[in-house]
Amino acid sequence: DAGVIQSPRHEVTEMGQEVTLRCKPISGHDYLFWYRQTMMRGLELLIYFNNNVPIDDSGMPEDRFSAKMPNASFSTLKIQPSEPRDSAVYFCASSSAGTGFSKAFFGQGTRLTVV
Amino acid sequence: GENVEQHPSTLSVQEGDSAVIKCTYSDSASNYFPWYKQELGKRPQLIIDIRSNVGEKKDQRIAVTLNKTAKHFSLHITETQPEDSAVYFCAASKEGSSNTGKLIFGQGTTLQVKP
């Protein structure tokens, strides 16, 4: 298995632009998580899905952030409009109820820079 | 809400010495405690985990201990090597509850192993 795949690996955009981050979880995993990592705040859970349904989005910072999971093999995190303070590394992770709900495997991350 | 405190924030040891990182969690219902290692510019990777029905778990040079009464858990690395240098994160979650899968991370410990 290729593991969790994220794209793009790096994204540089101007303030005000829309940004879409993409994630393909490990095949067969039924949980998908979006995390944001910054020096100041560490690893923050933004939202997670179970069987494509959002379970907890309490970590989404504001309405500019939205996430979707249209099917079991794809999820997006969208920021519209983007702001410089959104600059961070965004990780997607997945896990399986069969191997332990919380045993999450992370993707390589997307490094987002908003200028 | 659930909170995980991690100490120290930085740790420097001589190669061959032991390293200990400690975490405290706030929610007594937490029952799953993983540790992740993140090398510079890479994804967090699960290195060891423990569930609340166990007090200690070992895997070669690493071990994790759990004190449920005090709500403490610790990572122990023996015979440290330069390749152990990384940021280590502890986390806690409540498996089997409505928040199954929701990992709360500590702030991380930067471990430096000097040759």
Side-chain angles (χ1 to χ4, degrees), chain B residues 33-107:
Chain B
F33 308 94
W35 286 87
Y36 284 81
K37 175 184 180 182
Q38 186 178 28
E39 297 177 352
L40 189 62
K42 297 192 175 181
R43 76 184 86 187
Q45 291 195 293
L46 179 68
I47 55 172
I48 194 168
D49 56 10
I50 192 168
R51 287 186 163 78
S52 59
N53 58 346
V54 181
E56 184 176 1
K57 184 176 179 181
K58 284 186 178 180
D59 183 2
Q60 299 182 352
R61 294 186 298 108
I62 60 173
V64 59
T65 58
L66 171 65
N67 183 331
K68 284 191 296 183
T69 303
K71 292 189 282 187
H72 289 169
F73 58 112
S74 300
L75 178 71
H76 304 254
I77 306 174
T78 58
E79 300 172 25
T80 54
Q81 301 167 3
E83 51 265 39
D84 294 330
S85 297
V87 179
Y88 291 80
F89 292 94
C90 63
S93 73
K94 293 181 284 189
E95 292 198 341
S97 71
S98 60
N99 285 321
T100 286
K102 184 174 180 177
L103 281 171
I104 305 299
F105 282 89
Q107 286 295 89

Side-chain angles (χ1 to χ4, degrees), chain A residues 1-6 24-27 106-108, chain B residues 43:
Chain A
D1 197 317
V4 178
I5 299 173
Q6 291 185 245
K24 175 179 168 52
I26 293 172
S27 177
F106 283 74
Q108 293 278 37
Chain B
R43 76 184 86 187

